[in-house]
Amino acid sequence: MKLQWRPDHWGLSSRIVALSLILLLIVQAAVFSVVRLSIEQSAKRQVAQELAVGERVWRRLLDQNAQKLQQGGSLLAADFGFRAAVSTQDDDTIRSVLENHGARIGATITALIDTNMALRTVGDGQDDTALQGVLGRLTSPDVRDAQGSQVALIGNTPYQFVMVPIKAPVIVGWVLMGFPINQKLLDDMRAISDMHLALVSETTGEKRKVVSTTLPAGALAVLDATMGDITELPVDNDRWIARSVKLDTNSVGSVRTLLFRSVNEVVAPFRQAQLALAWITGLGVLLFAIGSVFAARRVTTPLRSLVNATEVLGRGQYDVPMQHTDRRDEIGELAKAFDAMRMNIGAQQTEIRTLAYWDRLTGLPNRARFREAVQEQIQAASAEGGNPARGMAIVMLDIDRFKHVNDVLGYSFGDQLLIAVAKRLTQQEMRGSDMVARLGGDEFAVMLTGSDADIAITVAQRIAKSFEMPLAFEEQTVDMSASMGIACFPQHAQDVDALLSHAEVAMYAAKSRTTLMQVYDA
């Protein structure tokens, strides 16, 4: 007998459980994908930030060495005996002092440069041949003026050089000191950071050469085999992101430091969190399966008994109470929930209808309701053949300096001001068919049925007079005024949109002319 996979023969409970588990697994797979992508992106950002910090630390370390050389050179240049030896051209003494002083501060290259920027002598035991090749650049006017440090390649070793003038009291020469950027400096940097370093020299026409490095042998082999710019190194199922820091560049080549940061080291804490999330997900799936079975069995019975009630709700009959609300079992609870939903939906529908035509802040009709009312008046006048009694005037007003009130006193104060304006407008003597509305922002409108421009002007003057009394809220007093525009039907417009537009045009004309009101004039 052959078994077949037939989900359509499953019961409702089985389908709910299966669907719930499938959806949960899909969501968890999506979560894992998003988490993995976020980890990768976060790791890249963190590595980039750490490399940037590493560059600053490396440069700071070089600056400290430069300061050490600068201070040592300054002490030597200020030494009276050394200056006397320079003045008397006692080369033996000069070489001895340069050697001794350089040894004390760790400078392996010490030299005396004359005022013509020519090499005069070097410390005892030092070779001046290699120094001659870079002397021109080290003694350039820019370097002398800045009195900063320069990096140059002597043989296969990068050196950090400083120059200090010897004054007696005029400049009689320069002290040149060089500190090797060697393995010790890289080890010091490695000790205070989580990154590896490689000091490389690149000579035109020759292969890149690693001068010194903290890289392990495997990573160093990958670096030697990599051509072109280094952005990352694949090392033992890991990626080391690289950052290049130029130390010296000339026409012959350059010296640079490569900073490397392992991505796996940065991602490791996130991987642990990801593993914990996987365990939590597995446990959650198990618990979810058990809960789904239990919930599905409790849901099926109330669904059968409430099908008719939901059909009634589907027809929009929210005033029909649900059955079975008096029961105390699951059916009763579900029935009560459906009945509460029925009442909430009915209340929301009522509120939606209210929000569609009424302004929540002031309680006045909004623009949609006001336009509808104006349209009804125009249609009624048209049906009566243009009855003069069906004439109508629109007074549109905009609060002056309302934006300034919001900016200075805050939006809460501005809302109170709008409420006060609405209250003063509704307190005017108007007929039952008239309407006051808030069109939006600080814009209000008044519809005066059976009125003309003269009546509208009178009403506008009453409104302006009511605004003469300042408003006081929260110990703040505000003088209130408004610019008003008037447009009449049928004199100024024959349809609702044109009538409202003309009233608005008149209002802005009044505002621009700083007048109280303006009747529309084409």
Side-chain angles (χ1 to χ4, degrees):
M1 179 173 159
K2 190 175 181 179
L3 296 176
Q4 295 183 352
W5 176 267
R6 296 291 301 276
D8 53 330
H9 289 172
W10 292 3
L12 180 60
S13 298
S14 301
R15 294 182 185 181
I16 291 176
V17 172
L19 180 62
S20 300
L21 288 177
I22 291 173
L23 292 176
L24 178 62
L25 291 175
I26 292 174
V27 170
Q28 289 300 322
V31 169
F32 269 100
S33 299
V34 172
V35 168
R36 182 175 181 180
L37 180 61
S38 300
I39 288 175
E40 291 292 335
Q41 294 176 346
S42 298
K44 289 181 180 179
R45 288 194 297 267
Q46 184 173 339
V47 167
Q49 291 173 357
E50 290 186 12
L51 288 173
V53 173
E55 178 181 349
R56 291 195 293 270
V57 173
W58 175 244
R59 292 191 182 278
R60 181 58 181 166
L61 195 59
L62 294 177
D63 289 342
Q64 289 177 350
N65 287 329
Q67 292 174 7
K68 178 182 177 182
L69 286 173
Q70 192 80 30
Q71 292 171 358
S74 298
L75 289 175
L76 179 58
D79 184 84
F80 178 79
F82 180 71
R83 287 188 295 176
V86 172
S87 299
T88 59
Q89 299 184 0
D90 186 354
D91 291 343
D92 291 337
T93 301
I94 292 173
R95 283 194 293 270
S96 177
V97 172
L98 288 174
E99 173 63 23
N100 293 334
H101 196 80
R104 284 199 298 271
I105 64 174
T108 59
I109 293 180
T110 53
L112 175 64
I113 310 298
D114 62 20
T115 54
N116 295 321
M117 296 296 116
L119 180 62
R120 179 171 169 182
T121 185
V122 297
D124 285 339
Q126 300 177 19
D127 184 10
D128 61 352
T129 304
L131 187 60
Q132 291 284 3
V134 296
L135 186 62
R137 186 163 53 83
L138 295 177
T139 59
S140 64
D142 293 339
V143 175
R144 298 201 309 272
D145 294 341
Q147 294 190 7
S149 66
Q150 286 287 309
V151 176
L153 196 64
I154 304 296
N156 293 325
T157 304
Y159 280 82
Q160 189 175 14
F161 289 95
V162 297
M163 284 185 62
V164 180
I166 305 171
K167 298 181 180 180
V170 297
I171 295 178
V172 296
W174 297 77
V175 174
L176 178 67
M177 290 190 169
F179 184 91
I181 305 176
N182 52 18
Q183 186 65 41
K184 181 181 181 305
L185 197 60
L186 268 65
D187 291 337
D188 292 342
M189 178 65 184
R190 171 65 180 162
I192 61 177
S193 67
D194 293 327
M195 57 191 67
H196 287 278
L197 296 90
L199 193 64
V200 300
S201 63
E202 298 173 332
T203 304
T204 304
E206 296 183 7
K207 183 180 177 181
R208 178 177 52 238
K209 183 175 182 180
V210 178
V211 178
S212 55
T213 182
T214 63
L215 291 173
L220 181 58
V222 175
L223 177 61
D224 288 335
T226 304
M227 303 298 293
D229 293 337
I230 305 296
T231 57
E232 62 179 50
L233 289 180
V235 181
D236 298 332
N237 298 322
D238 191 5
R239 289 186 302 117
W240 289 9
I241 306 299
R243 186 183 183 94
S244 177
V245 182
K246 280 192 175 183
L247 301 181
D248 171 70
T249 301
N250 54 45
S251 59
V252 178
S254 65
V255 179
R256 68 178 64 205
T257 304
L258 295 177
L259 306 178
F260 296 95
R261 186 69 172 97
S262 169
V263 174
N264 282 356
E265 291 180 3
V266 176
V267 172
F270 298 103
R271 297 298 186 200
Q272 295 177 359
Q274 201 172 18
L275 181 60
L277 180 61
W279 280 101
I280 294 173
T281 300
L283 181 61
V285 169
L286 177 62
L287 295 177
F288 193 81
I290 297 173
S292 296
V293 172
F294 179 73
R297 291 179 179 177
R298 292 176 62 89
V299 166
T300 52
T301 300
L303 285 178
R304 296 189 188 97
S305 63
L306 293 174
V307 168
N308 293 333
T310 55
E311 291 178 352
V312 172
L313 284 178
R315 293 194 294 268
Q317 299 177 8
Y318 304 115
D319 56 343
V320 180
M322 293 287 178
Q323 298 179 354
H324 310 296
T325 55
D326 55 341
R327 297 180 59 165
R328 297 184 180 180
D329 56 6
E330 291 82 357
I331 296 177
E333 293 297 324
L334 186 60
K336 291 177 183 177
F338 268 90
D339 198 53
M341 181 184 68
R342 173 189 64 83
M343 292 185 291
N344 289 336
I345 293 176
Q348 289 175 3
Q349 292 296 323
T350 302
E351 184 178 1
I352 289 173
R353 287 191 293 269
T354 300
L355 291 176
Y357 289 104
W358 297 89
D359 178 58
R360 180 182 289 272
L361 178 65
T362 61
L364 296 177
N366 61 11
R367 181 181 290 273
R369 179 68 189 97
F370 186 78
R371 183 187 182 281
E372 186 178 273
V374 175
Q375 180 68 29
E376 290 173 356
Q377 290 294 324
I378 292 176
Q379 290 175 349
S382 301
E384 296 182 12
N387 185 357
R390 285 290 186 176
M392 176 175 45
I394 301 296
V395 180
M396 192 173 294
L397 64 151
D398 184 84
I399 307 302
D400 295 332
R401 301 178 304 279
F402 182 73
K403 182 179 183 304
H404 182 70
V405 171
N406 273 340
D407 293 341
V408 176
L409 301 179
Y411 288 98
S412 176
F413 191 93
D415 289 345
Q416 296 183 43
L417 177 62
L418 293 174
I419 294 172
V421 170
K423 184 179 296 184
R424 294 196 181 183
L425 290 176
T426 54
Q427 290 174 350
Q428 302 298 317
E429 295 180 3
M430 296 183 187
R431 291 159 296 184
S433 57
D434 295 340
M435 177 181 288
V436 178
R438 181 189 176 201
L439 304 185
D442 58 342
E443 237 179 63
F444 293 82
V446 180
M447 179 182 70
L448 303 172
T449 57
S451 302
D452 55 14
D454 293 335
I455 296 176
I457 291 173
T458 302
V459 172
Q461 290 173 344
R462 288 206 308 266
I463 293 173
K465 187 171 182 61
S466 70
F467 284 178
E468 291 179 356
M469 182 180 297
L471 292 174
F473 299 116
E474 302 176 359
E475 300 180 357
Q476 298 286 344
T477 301
V478 177
D479 293 327
M480 184 171 57
S481 63
S483 301
M484 289 175 276
I486 299 172
C488 300
F489 170 82
Q491 294 88 351
H492 299 144
Q494 302 295 321
D495 62 86
V496 58
D497 292 324
L499 184 62
L500 295 179
S501 176
H502 291 170
E504 187 173 14
V505 168
M507 177 191 71
Y508 282 115
K511 183 177 286 291
S512 64
R513 299 174 184 177
T514 64
T515 59
L516 175 62
M517 69 188 73
Q518 179 73 44
V519 179
Y520 177 77
D521 186 346

